[in-house]
Amino acid sequence: MTTETTGTERSANVNWTLLFLCWLIASVSTLGSLFFSEVMGFAPCVLCWYQRIGVYPLVLIFGVGLFSFDAGVIKYSLPLAVAGWLVALYHTLLYSGVIPKSLQPCSEGVSCTEKYIELFGFLSIPLLSLLSFSAIIILLFILQRRLAP
């Protein structure tokens, strides 16, 4: 007995997969930030906290959206992802020295330019955050285009 999937079923499967990838990226980012702070003992700076505020709720929003595949998940998650991306971009530019240290909001406590790790010589924590938010935003735009009438 052979079952063939229709174009609509395949399209729904691809849409669900795109949303699942968003959830997976947000989950790995959340677990990674918790690993860096709780296991490795890296204290998060002010900008790191703002990025966490952007990514932590995405895990729940995407998770809930996966169960019934609610297309409204895009309008709830995209503003958080864009806000997180903007903070991550600023943090990455500050970390790399493009923005002068005099403009950093981390005047007390942990410095926003503290170099904890640099994977492969260039992947810093702020850059990892920027890449995660970028991937989520790209996937959300692809999903939005696929769902447009």
Side-chain angles (χ1 to χ4, degrees):
M1 177 184 230
T2 307
T3 57
E4 293 184 24
T5 58
T6 64
T8 305
E9 290 171 344
R10 272 183 290 215
S11 181
N13 288 340
V14 170
N15 293 344
W16 188 90
T17 302
L18 289 170
L19 189 57
F20 176 77
L21 288 173
C22 288
W23 174 83
L24 188 63
I25 293 167
S27 297
V28 168
S29 298
T30 297
L31 292 173
S33 75
L34 290 172
F35 175 79
F36 286 142
S37 63
E38 300 303 319
V39 176
M40 299 294 291
F42 301 156
C45 70
V46 171
L47 293 176
C48 292
W49 278 112
Y50 291 144
Q51 291 166 74
R52 288 177 177 201
I53 290 168
V55 80
Y56 286 9
L58 290 178
V59 176
L60 296 174
I61 293 170
F62 292 141
V64 169
L66 281 170
F67 282 105
S68 61
F69 190 77
D70 180 12
V73 72
I74 297 169
K75 68 181 174 183
Y76 302 123
S77 59
L78 194 55
L80 277 172
V82 169
W85 184 86
L86 289 171
V87 174
L89 176 64
Y90 178 78
H91 196 181
T92 301
L93 292 174
L94 186 66
Y95 182 86
S96 64
V98 174
I99 296 175
K101 287 187 178 184
S102 61
L103 294 178
Q104 74 173 298
C106 310
S107 58
E108 294 180 18
V110 180
S111 171
C112 291
T113 57
E114 182 74 31
K115 295 188 189 296
Y116 288 120
I117 62 164
E118 284 192 345
L119 300 172
F120 308 113
F122 70 96
L123 278 176
S124 63
I125 294 174
L127 184 58
L128 289 171
S129 177
L130 182 66
L131 293 173
S132 295
F133 280 118
S134 297
I136 289 171
I137 291 169
I138 289 168
L139 290 169
L140 286 174
F141 277 127
I142 292 170
L143 183 60
Q144 188 175 36
R145 281 192 61 127
R146 291 180 56 80
L147 294 174

